[in-house]
Each structure stands twice: as C-alpha cells, then as structure tokens.
Amino acid sequence: MNGGDDGGGAAAAPTGPPPPPLEWKFSQVFGERTAGEEVQEVDIISAIEFDKTGDHLATGDRGGRVVLFERTDTKDHGGSRRDLERMDYPISRHPEFRYKTEFQSHEPEFDYLKSLEIEEKINKIRWCQTANGALFLLSTNDKTIKFWKVQEKKVKKISEMNVDPSKGNGGVASSSISSAARPYLANGGYPDKPYNCPQGGIPSLRLPVVTSHETSLVARCRRVYAHAHDYHINSISNNSDGETFISADDLRINLWNLEISNQSFNIVDVKPANMEDLTEVITSAEFHPSHCNMLAYSSSKGSIRLIDLRQSALCDSHSKLFEEQEAPGSRSFFTEIIASISDIKFGKDGRYILSRDYMTLKLWDINMDSGPVSTFQVHEYLRPKLCDLYENDSIFDKFECCLSGDGLRVATGSYSNIFRVFGCVAGSTEATTLEASKNPMRRQVQTPSRPSRSLSSITRVVRRAGAESPGVDGNGNSFDFTTKLLHLAWHPTENSIACAAANSLYMYYA
C-alpha cells in the first residue's frame, strides 16, 4: 500500500496507537565547514556505523581513513545509559560524543593483472564483538576487507638517562643547575643533578625510573581478507554467531570466518554462463540480526531475496522473494533504474526489512511476500526531473536507510543535505524533513492545502550558490543535486541520528 506525498504508509509495521512526531534538535557537528570552504574529495564521509551499545560511532571516508568517536555523557555518571535508567537516575543531557582516534585503513592500490586502480575509499564499516576492553571492526574498500583491533596501550615514560644528547654518543651530562628545591627520585638521586666523576673518570650511573604512564590508542590490522571478489564489494555484514561474516559484490556473496583470512565460501553466485544474459546484480546484503542461518540480499531489479544457509551450500535458490508488482501502464525508460534497491536493513527483531530505492522507502514483513506493508515517498517532487537526474548521473546515487531501535520510525537521506524521518506504526502520519545543519527544522514549512501564490511563499525559495540544477521541493524550498545526504545511522537504543553531509558529521536527538 502506498503512502501519499506526505509519506505516511497506510498499513504499517508495529501495532498500537502511533506515537506523536518527534521534535528533533541539533546535538553536535564534527568537521564543520566554513562558508565558501572547498571540501577535499578525500575528506568526504562514505560510511557511518554505531556499535551495538551505541557508545561508539565509526565513520569512513574516501581517503581510506576510519575515525572513531566515543560517547561521553554517560561516563560522567559512571555507568551506561541503560544502567542509569534502571537506577532511575535523572538523565538531563543529550547524547554527546567526542573524537577518540583515527587510523588509515586502506591505501590506493593498483591491480596490475587487470590494469585497474583500486580506490582507498571506505565502502562499509561493521563493528564486531568487543573483547578485553578492545574494539574490533571490519572495514572494506572495493576489493579488500580488513579486521581492526583498537586498544589502549600504556606508554611508560622514563626519567632522563645519564646520556646528554648534546654531547653526541655517550657524552656525559654536566648540568650546572642548582639542586635546591629539586625533587628526589625513587633511587635517591636528583632528576637533573650534575654527575660527580670519581677519580677513575667514570660517571656514577643512575638507574632509569618510570615517572609516568600515558595511555594511547593503537589500531592494529589483525587480518586482511583479499582476492575473493572480482567485482566491487558493496556490503559486509556480521553474523549473530560472532564468528562469521559475509561480503557481497555485484554477482557473488562470500561467507568468511573472522579467524581465517585465506579462505571464503561462495554462498550466492548470480553470474550467468554468458555475461550477455546478465539482467540484474546484487546491490546490498545483510545477515538476520538473530538467526545465524538467514540472510537477505537485494537486487537492481527491486527484489529482495531471503535465503537459508541450512538448505544448501550454494544458496542460489531463495526461500522467499519480496518484490512489488509493477502498476500496469506505469512503465517508462526510468522504471528499472529507479527500482534498483540501494540499501536494505533488518529491523532489530528481524521481523521487518527496510529497503531504499531511488524514490521510496519500503517496509517489508518477512512473513508476507505479497508486497511491502508500507511505502514512503522520499522526494516525489523529483519525478518530473528524472531526465535531468539521468543526465547528470544523480539517478545512480545510492542512498542508505535506517530504522530506530524500537522499530517505530525509519529514516533516509535526499538532496540539498536533507533527510526524512517517517513513522511506520499503523495510522502514523509522521513525515519530518530535516536539514543537516545547526538548524535542522529550517525547512519545515506548513504546506497549504491549496498552492498559495502569496509573496511570503515565493520569498521562502532560497537559491543556493553553486547549485547546478536548482528546483523547488514540496515545501517550497530550493534543492540542488550537488549536495546529497547518502549516509546516516540511527542509534540502536535512543532517538539519535548521525548523518554525513560531505566531510561533516552531524548528530541530532529527539
């Protein structure tokens, strides 16, 4: 059932009365641009992911770097937010993150056999289970997946030795600083005391003393999973068993064990014997959140296949197929292009799958393969502009989607750095448009029942500098195809969203 332009779905997922729409507020921004500042291509964020607890956030960029952020507002009270809720501790602060560390995950490479340059751009990041206080995550570019361990290491600082660097190798220090008011070291000497040379001319040696411990975060690459994909990797997904994960490219899905980097099992292969017979490719793949034998993958034809690893070693036959039947007479040149699914996500309980195609978000019940239970129109006002979007390649943009932890809402991005949040409870009309800026509600304009020609509605149209193809959205705001919000993530337990606008990471809460 299709929702109208307001985005509400007629039949929807979770039951019960719809909650009131959330009021979103700006929380913080990392890497904010100043007006007119040119963004370097390598700094543009290409992946965002919260870990299972929501206490850590990772971003990857086109320069191959992974940046980690850490939750700080829960640490002030000495416990996680969930512990505080159990203790009825009043939580007055909104979620706050701070920069933790960053590391270079991938470097640009060159495949000499195929004469291909392999970009360092991070396509996906997935958190793995933590152990012994260390963080583990998987990151991938087009060809190579890496398994990282990020751990705090104590660095010991030692008091000054007997060697004076100014005297060259082995020179004896001869400081003439007064010894008054100087602290004793544990071995009884002074840290800067001049060395007394007895008659043999041999200086009296002092044992080095550890004076301080400093902790620093060290990222180590534990494993590299390479040479298993002929095509570009579009997805990686951890299994709930904590031991295995999948990686998917255009034609194949491989199953890996985290401990074994030189071997993977090909579980899906849609490559035809003759490549001229190729009609669809794999666009996204994800494991079920709790059933370790189930996974779903989407295709460029707009279908989602659910497969069961227990059925056979090669899962080319699906156990369920989800696709929406085309309305008769609605076919056009763009129909197949905009039907391609760019991202799928399982809901937390595994009952629902959210999919994003170019124009819509769809919510599917895995027990009902007759069609989606809800459809949300993301930017219906772009439909007349599909020709322009095709000309400038924007029609091939891959927008991601996400669900709230409680399953009551879904979110996805659009152009002009806006993203939309929809309520998916039956009867909900929640469809909020937010802008990735310090004033997220700036684009909220009351849409009149009839188109109004008053001066105020005309002056609302703010043309942006540098917009190649500016137009007007449903709320009378200008939009342009050059700025787009492709990547966003919803906190697993709270109403908090992190999204990327070029090189800036914006965070909101409600």
Side-chain angles (χ1 to χ4, degrees):
M1 296 184 183
N2 282 4
D5 285 356
D6 62 349
T15 51
L22 295 176
E23 191 178 320
W24 291 90
K25 300 180 189 73
F26 169 77
S27 173
Q28 55 193 140
V29 58
F30 296 95
E32 188 181 16
R33 297 196 308 283
T34 53
E37 182 189 344
E38 202 168 313
V39 180
Q40 299 296 314
E41 178 84 8
V42 292
D43 295 330
I44 293 175
I45 296 171
S46 55
I48 300 181
E49 186 80 2
F50 279 105
D51 72 348
K52 269 198 177 119
T53 64
D55 291 339
H56 291 95
L57 175 69
T59 66
D61 64 26
R62 293 189 186 178
R65 291 176 301 248
V66 171
V67 183
L68 304 185
F69 300 89
E70 180 179 45
R71 182 88 180 255
T72 55
D73 57 302
T74 50
K75 291 194 167 184
D76 298 347
H77 301 309
S80 78
R81 197 174 179 91
R82 286 182 303 286
D83 296 339
L84 299 176
E85 281 165 355
R86 280 198 287 271
M87 290 159 47
D88 280 344
Y89 198 104
I91 301 161
S92 55
R93 306 259 300 280
H94 61 76
E96 273 184 30
F97 284 78
R98 69 175 174 88
Y99 168 87
K100 188 177 174 79
T101 188
E102 68 180 86
F103 55 90
Q104 188 72 33
S105 173
H106 287 70
E107 301 277 0
E109 295 172 54
F110 190 79
D111 185 334
Y112 291 97
L113 289 173
K114 295 181 178 173
S115 293
L116 273 179
E117 281 186 27
I118 301 166
E119 281 185 304
E120 66 271 41
K121 175 189 161 210
I122 306 293
N123 290 346
K124 285 283 187 293
I125 295 172
R126 290 290 179 265
W127 290 90
C128 304
Q129 290 177 351
T130 55
N132 301 328
L135 302 172
F136 294 90
L137 43 97
L138 289 166
S139 63
T140 185
N141 65 353
D142 285 340
K143 296 287 183 182
T144 307
I145 306 149
K146 293 186 179 181
F147 183 45
W148 290 92
K149 178 183 184 180
V150 182
Q151 195 176 25
E152 280 194 349
K153 292 271 189 191
K154 280 193 173 176
V155 180
K156 293 178 180 177
K157 276 211 160 183
I158 296 170
S159 66
E160 289 180 35
M161 305 287 283
N162 279 345
V163 177
D164 183 357
S166 64
K167 298 280 171 99
N169 289 339
V172 177
S174 56
S175 168
S176 57
I177 302 167
S178 162
S179 61
R182 267 185 285 159
Y184 279 102
L185 289 175
N187 65 357
Y190 292 111
D192 297 315
K193 188 174 178 183
Y195 306 110
N196 301 317
C197 293
Q199 285 181 341
I202 300 168
S204 55
L205 294 172
R206 284 187 295 108
L207 290 172
V209 176
V210 175
T211 52
S212 71
H213 287 280
E214 281 187 6
T215 55
S216 70
L217 281 159
V218 179
R220 270 185 40 232
C221 182
R222 296 289 305 276
R223 281 176 191 82
V224 177
Y225 313 89
H227 313 300
H229 287 278
D230 290 332
Y231 305 94
H232 291 179
I233 298 171
N234 55 48
S235 307
I236 47 175
S237 178
N238 296 84
N239 197 345
S240 57
D241 65 9
E243 294 177 10
T244 55
F245 71 93
I246 52 167
S247 58
D249 66 22
D250 295 340
L251 298 178
R252 294 192 177 100
I253 300 175
N254 292 335
L255 178 69
W256 301 83
N257 188 304
L258 278 167
E259 301 296 319
I260 302 162
S261 60
N262 60 356
Q263 184 182 37
S264 66
F265 295 97
N266 177 227
I267 54 171
V268 174
D269 188 347
V270 299
K271 186 178 181 181
N274 182 358
M275 282 295 274
E276 288 178 7
D277 299 333
L278 184 68
T279 57
E280 65 181 326
V281 295
I282 298 166
T283 55
S284 182
E286 185 163 271
F287 261 118
H288 187 283
S290 52
H291 299 333
C292 61
N293 55 287
M294 284 173 72
L295 62 101
Y297 70 90
S298 60
S299 85
S300 56
K301 275 195 166 176
S303 59
I304 301 168
R305 289 172 174 83
L306 197 66
I307 60 175
D308 191 334
L309 295 171
R310 296 172 301 187
Q311 288 182 344
S312 67
L314 191 61
C315 305
D316 288 347
S317 58
H318 49 268
S319 55
K320 274 188 182 169
L321 174 69
F322 305 94
E323 58 186 355
E324 194 166 22
Q325 296 309 311
E326 208 176 290
S330 65
R331 193 162 180 80
S332 75
F333 172 76
F334 303 110
T335 303
E336 252 183 51
I337 302 173
I338 63 172
S340 178
I341 294 173
S342 54
D343 191 26
I344 57 168
K345 293 273 170 38
F346 271 102
K348 203 172 189 177
D349 60 358
R351 168 82 185 269
Y352 296 96
I353 297 174
L354 181 67
S355 69
R356 169 72 205 261
D357 57 44
Y358 189 68
M359 297 298 288
T360 62
L361 267 178
K362 290 182 179 137
L363 195 66
W364 309 77
D365 184 333
I366 65 168
N367 300 324
M368 193 179 102
D369 53 9
S370 57
V373 291
S374 290
T375 298
F376 308 97
Q377 312 293 347
V378 179
H379 39 215
E380 191 59 24
Y381 52 85
L382 290 181
R383 202 170 283 277
K385 294 194 165 291
L386 288 177
C387 206
D388 298 340
L389 291 156
Y390 180 76
E391 288 291 321
N392 65 17
D393 280 352
S394 296
I395 203 166
F396 302 108
D397 286 335
K398 291 176 169 49
F399 291 96
E400 290 176 5
C401 58
C402 56
L403 298 96
S404 60
D406 55 18
L408 301 178
R409 294 174 180 87
V410 295
T412 192
S414 180
Y415 294 98
S416 305
N417 286 343
I418 65 167
F419 61 103
R420 305 204 67 194
V421 178
F422 300 101
C424 54
V425 177
S428 173
T429 57
E430 182 174 355
T432 312
T433 302
L434 300 154
E435 183 181 44
S437 70
K438 286 187 175 176
N439 180 10
M441 308 297 275
R442 188 171 77 88
R443 291 181 166 264
Q444 291 298 316
V445 179
Q446 294 304 311
T447 314
S449 53
R450 275 202 320 266
S452 157
R453 286 281 171 196
S454 71
L455 184 66
S456 62
S457 69
I458 295 162
T459 53
R460 284 191 199 281
V461 179
V462 182
R463 294 234 182 267
R464 291 193 165 200
E468 283 178 5
S469 329
V472 181
D473 67 15
N475 281 340
N477 290 303
S478 67
F479 64 84
D480 72 84
F481 307 141
T482 57
T483 54
K484 46 199 163 198
L485 198 147
L486 301 174
H487 312 285
L488 76 173
W490 201 303
H491 189 285
T493 57
E494 296 167 33
N495 287 321
S496 172
I497 289 178
C499 58
N503 66 328
S504 305
L505 176 68
Y506 285 92
M507 307 193 76
Y508 302 95
Y509 71 102

